[in-house]
Structures are given as C-alpha cells and as structure tokens.
C-alpha cells in the first residue's frame, strides 16, 4: 500500500507518428534510393555499357503520383518570384551556377546582381552570337539539352528512351479536325500514325530533348512552319530526368504538356513542351490564353485552342530559330514530324546539344 504509483503515458502516445513525418521519412528515403539508382545508371553509361531497362510497377507509379508535385511546383514558382536582397543575389546564384555548371559568359547580362529573383535568373537571355542558327540543315535543335532518343515512329509507339515507349495517340490526343489543318487527312480506317502522314512516301519521325536545370530555358522554332492548333493537357508533374524516363513507361503521357501542331513544307509537324517537377509553368509567347499548372483539373482532360480564325486563315507562322516559349527551370521538348524517307538525323543518343545546332536534314 506504500508503493508509489508510476504514471506512464500509453505507448501509442509516446511513439505516435504524425502523417507528415511518415510522408517525409518515406518520401525522403525513396527519393534517396532513386538518386542512388540514377547514379549507378550514369556510371554504366560513362563506361559505355548498356543500361538495363527496369520499369516501375503500378504501385510505384501510384506512390510517385500521390506526392503533391503540382502544389510543390506552384509553391516553388512563388518562391522563385520573391525578390532577393542585392547582397544575397551573388551567393545564391553562384551556388546554383556551381551546382549545375551554368556558363554565365553566354548570358546577355553577366552581372548576377541584375537578376532580382530566381525566376529572372532561370529565364536569362543569351548573347545573340552565343547560339548561331544552322542555315544548312532543315531542322535545328529548339533548345539546349541532352538527346534522349530519336528516329522513326513505329507501330504508333514512340521511344522516350531506348526500350521504354509511350503511345503516340495518348501523347498527342485525338486527331485534330481537317478544318484546322492545311493538308488533307488520310482515310479514317488507317492507324493514328498513318493519319498523321499526309504525303505518300513520307515517314513519321521523333526526337526527345531533355533540358537540365543548368541549361538555357527558352525554346525556339526548330524549322520554318505554321502553328495552327494548341492542345494543353493538365496532368502530373513528375521528374523527367533520364533516370525517371527510363523507369516509368509513358511518363510523358502522365505529365502536364502543351502540344503545338501545324505543318511545314513536308507535311505534319508538332512540338510538345512537357512539364516536370518545379516546372509547372510553360509559357508560349504568342498564346496569352495558356495557363499551366492550375490548382484544379480533371484527370485525362485537355483543352484545345485553334489559331486559325476568320481573321487569320494561316495560323501562326514561325521562322527557324524564332523565340517560341520558355520553361521555369528545365524540362523536355518532344518533336514529332513528317518527312521524306531520306531524312537523316545528325545525332547520337545521349549527346549534349545546343539551340541552333543541326538535328537533321534531307
């Protein structure tokens, strides 16, 4: 009866884990694991060895998509627009330059104090002579970046990296009506790929360019063409770096993207800007109605906009090398176009390329 009572809290209260802590621990551990896997793949590539294809399972994709990347990207966008004190700009930007290997000697303004916030620094312009546009080849690179894949489109499937594909129709969406295009449509009984090829003897080609955080973030017209239609797909904002592109099938079909379609001298031509984590903002200079990464959207939906109207029968003409749009940070550009069978790419998978350099020619 003289014993002192020992009051202890229930074990469940002592070791209570809040959902936020679980999310941080699980997400952080998984992100670290993925980074380690990406590092191993990079080492194999440097040795010239073939990288094995290991696709994510459905639960892994679902887990990744459950992370609020759209919300985080909007928060990152607002943070980027916060004006930095003058004394803090050089240390912050210098760290970024060192981390991602940015060449500031190419920038139109080299003085780091000029950039009021991170957003302005990301979207910095280049000196006019820094990126000469190739006049010899018919298609040039629309941006700086790394070539992930290129070649002919086969069986309505496109390779995002070697061995990992996505559906052409899922990526571009349903065929646009013939009233918005300058050329005739193939018979409806043909496959989606055959409907895009408008001239006999032509083939459909593709090229995927990954923009790293340290790259120049504007993109330009890859050739002389006319943009007649824009299709905006709201979606996830998963990372599109080569390691993830090799891991998640149809990654580009999951992510938010802006598809510009039209025609060039050989028929169908399209350029797609694919969003990614922290790159929810995709801007097309001539399209003021485009608003990406909005707070709410319907899964699987898309928004169409036609540049052909009663006042503008020709659409938006673009000259090779002309400014077309920009990302905030970095992402991916996908070109899908029609060309004669003798079209040849002047590329190697994995090579670095800069805006203005040749992609291919006839």
């Amino acid at each position: 009866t003289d014993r002192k009572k020992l009051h202890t809290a229930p074990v469940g209260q002592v070791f209570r884990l809040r959902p936020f802590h679980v999310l941080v621990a699980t997400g952080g551990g998984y992100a670290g694991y993925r980074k380690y896997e990406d590092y191993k793949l990079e080492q194999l590539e440097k040795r010239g060895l073939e990288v094995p294809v290991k696709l994510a399972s459905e639960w892994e994709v679902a887990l990744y998509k459950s992370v609020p990347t759209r919300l985080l990207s909007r928060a990152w966008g607002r943070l980027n627009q916060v004006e930095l004190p003058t004394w803090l700009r050089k240390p912050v930007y210098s760290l970024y330059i060192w981390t991602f290997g940015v060449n500031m000697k190419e920038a139109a303004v080299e003085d780091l104090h000029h950039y009021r916030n991170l957003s302005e620094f990301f979207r910095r312009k280049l000196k006019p002579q820094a990126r000469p546009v190739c006049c010899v080849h018919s298609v040039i690179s629309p941006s700086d970046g790394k070539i992930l894949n290129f070649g002919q489109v086969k069986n309505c499937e496109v390779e995002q990296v070697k061995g990992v594909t996505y559906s052409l129709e899922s990526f571009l969406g349903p065929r646009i009506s013939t009233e918005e295009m300058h050329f005739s449509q193939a018979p409806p009984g043909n496959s989606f790929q055959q409907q895009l090829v408008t001239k006999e003897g032509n083939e459909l080609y593709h090229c995927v360019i990954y923009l790293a955080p340290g790259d120049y973030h504007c993109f330009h017209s890859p050739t002389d063409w006319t943009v007649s239609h824009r299709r905006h797909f709201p979606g996830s904002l998963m990372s599109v770096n080569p390691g993830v592109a090799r891991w998640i099938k149809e990654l580009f079909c999951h992510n938010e993207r802006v598809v510009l379609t039209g025609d060039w001298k050989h028929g169908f031509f399209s350029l797609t800007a694919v969003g990614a984590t922290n790159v929810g903002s995709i801007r097309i200079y001539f399209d003021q109605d485009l608003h990406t990464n909005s707070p709410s959207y319907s899964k699987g939906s898309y928004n169409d906009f036609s540049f052909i109207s009663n006042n503008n029968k020709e659409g938006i003409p673009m000259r090779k090398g002309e400014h077309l749009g920009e990302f905030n940070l970095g992402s991916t550009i996908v070109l899908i176009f029609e060309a004669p069978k003798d079209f040849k790419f002047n590329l190697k998978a994995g090579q670095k390329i800069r805006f203005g350099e040749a992609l291919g020619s006839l």
Side-chain angles (χ1 to χ4, degrees):
T1 58
D2 293 334
R3 289 180 182 174
K4 293 181 180 180
K5 293 182 179 180
L6 180 62
H7 295 278
T8 58
V11 176
Q13 292 183 9
V14 175
F15 296 100
R16 180 180 296 170
L17 292 176
R18 301 179 185 275
F20 176 75
H21 298 155
V22 175
L23 178 63
V24 170
T26 305
Y30 191 71
Y33 167 74
R34 289 307 314 167
K35 284 293 183 183
Y36 175 67
E37 290 294 313
D38 292 345
Y39 171 77
K40 291 197 299 184
L41 294 176
E42 288 177 3
Q43 295 305 308
L44 289 176
E45 287 182 341
K46 288 180 180 179
R47 296 175 187 172
L49 301 176
E50 187 173 348
V51 178
V53 175
K54 184 181 179 182
L55 295 177
S57 62
E58 291 185 6
W59 72 265
E60 287 179 307
V61 176
L63 177 62
Y64 192 175
K65 293 179 74 172
S66 69
V67 178
T69 52
R70 294 177 64 85
L71 178 61
L72 294 173
S73 297
R74 286 195 295 274
W76 176 253
R78 292 190 180 95
L79 179 63
N80 287 350
Q81 295 173 3
V82 174
E83 185 169 343
L84 298 176
T86 305
W87 62 269
L88 188 59
R89 295 174 187 176
K90 188 171 183 179
V92 171
Y93 300 147
S94 296
L95 178 62
Y96 188 91
I97 290 169
W98 176 79
T99 303
F100 296 108
V102 178
N103 184 5
M104 285 302 294
K105 292 183 179 180
E106 298 177 333
V109 180
E110 296 185 40
D111 182 12
L112 298 180
H113 296 99
H114 168 80
Y115 302 100
R116 294 174 297 177
N117 51 48
L118 284 167
S119 181
E120 287 188 1
F121 179 72
F122 293 148
R123 295 179 289 107
R124 64 193 177 276
K125 305 300 180 184
L126 298 181
K127 295 173 182 176
Q129 66 274 19
R131 297 290 188 274
V133 176
C134 177
C135 299
V136 178
H137 294 78
S138 54
V139 183
I140 62 169
S141 176
S143 66
D144 289 7
K146 179 181 180 180
I147 301 296
L148 295 190
N149 214 299
F150 64 92
Q152 284 190 19
V153 177
K154 298 179 180 179
N155 301 320
C156 294
E157 292 282 327
V158 186
E159 282 191 318
Q160 57 193 31
V161 294
K162 186 176 180 180
V164 183
T165 63
Y166 56 93
S167 164
L168 179 65
E169 186 169 6
S170 296
F171 181 69
L172 296 178
R175 184 74 167 96
I176 301 166
S177 64
T178 56
E179 296 177 358
E180 299 185 28
M181 310 301 285
H182 295 170
F183 43 82
S184 60
Q185 189 177 17
N190 291 344
S191 69
F192 183 82
Q193 177 178 338
Q194 291 171 326
Q195 291 180 35
L196 295 181
V197 178
T198 63
K199 298 181 179 180
E200 187 176 353
N202 282 2
E203 297 288 348
L204 206 61
Y205 298 87
H206 74 100
C207 182
V208 183
I209 306 171
Y210 167 69
L211 287 74
D215 288 328
Y216 168 56
H217 297 119
C218 295
F219 50 93
H220 301 246
S221 176
T223 192
D224 296 334
W225 66 305
T226 300
V227 183
S228 57
H229 188 272
R230 179 259 292 162
R231 177 168 284 161
H232 171 216
F233 290 86
S236 301
L237 288 173
M238 295 184 284
S239 172
V240 292
N241 72 55
V244 178
R246 191 179 291 109
W247 180 55
I248 297 181
K249 182 179 175 63
E250 297 202 335
L251 171 65
F252 300 153
C253 297
H254 291 296
N255 273 19
E256 181 148 356
R257 59 198 183 277
V258 177
V259 182
L260 300 178
T261 55
D263 63 291
W264 68 320
K265 60 183 179 180
H266 299 297
F268 174 81
F269 198 96
S270 73
L271 179 148
T272 302
V274 182
T277 308
N278 298 333
V279 200
S281 175
I282 302 171
R283 182 183 174 192
I284 305 297
Y285 294 137
F286 58 74
D287 189 355
Q288 302 302 317
D289 295 321
L290 175 64
H291 301 285
T292 57
N293 196 14
S294 59
S296 60
Y297 72 98
S298 299
K299 185 177 180 180
S301 65
Y302 60 85
N303 305 304
D304 283 346
F305 185 86
S306 175
F307 297 109
I308 294 179
S309 63
N310 293 330
N311 297 326
N312 181 18
K313 294 289 187 181
E314 300 299 322
I316 308 295
M318 297 297 301
R319 303 293 296 175
K320 184 166 64 175
E322 186 177 352
H323 277 83
L324 183 54
E326 63 187 33
F327 293 110
N328 276 335
L329 199 59
S331 193
T332 297
I333 295 287
V334 179
L335 302 179
I336 298 175
F337 57 93
E338 174 185 359
K341 291 183 178 180
D342 56 351
F343 181 87
K344 300 294 182 183
F345 284 102
N346 301 315
L347 302 172
K348 292 182 180 179
Q351 79 171 70
K352 291 288 291 182
I353 197 167
R354 305 202 303 176
F355 155 62
E357 294 179 346
L359 283 185
S361 189
L362 297 170

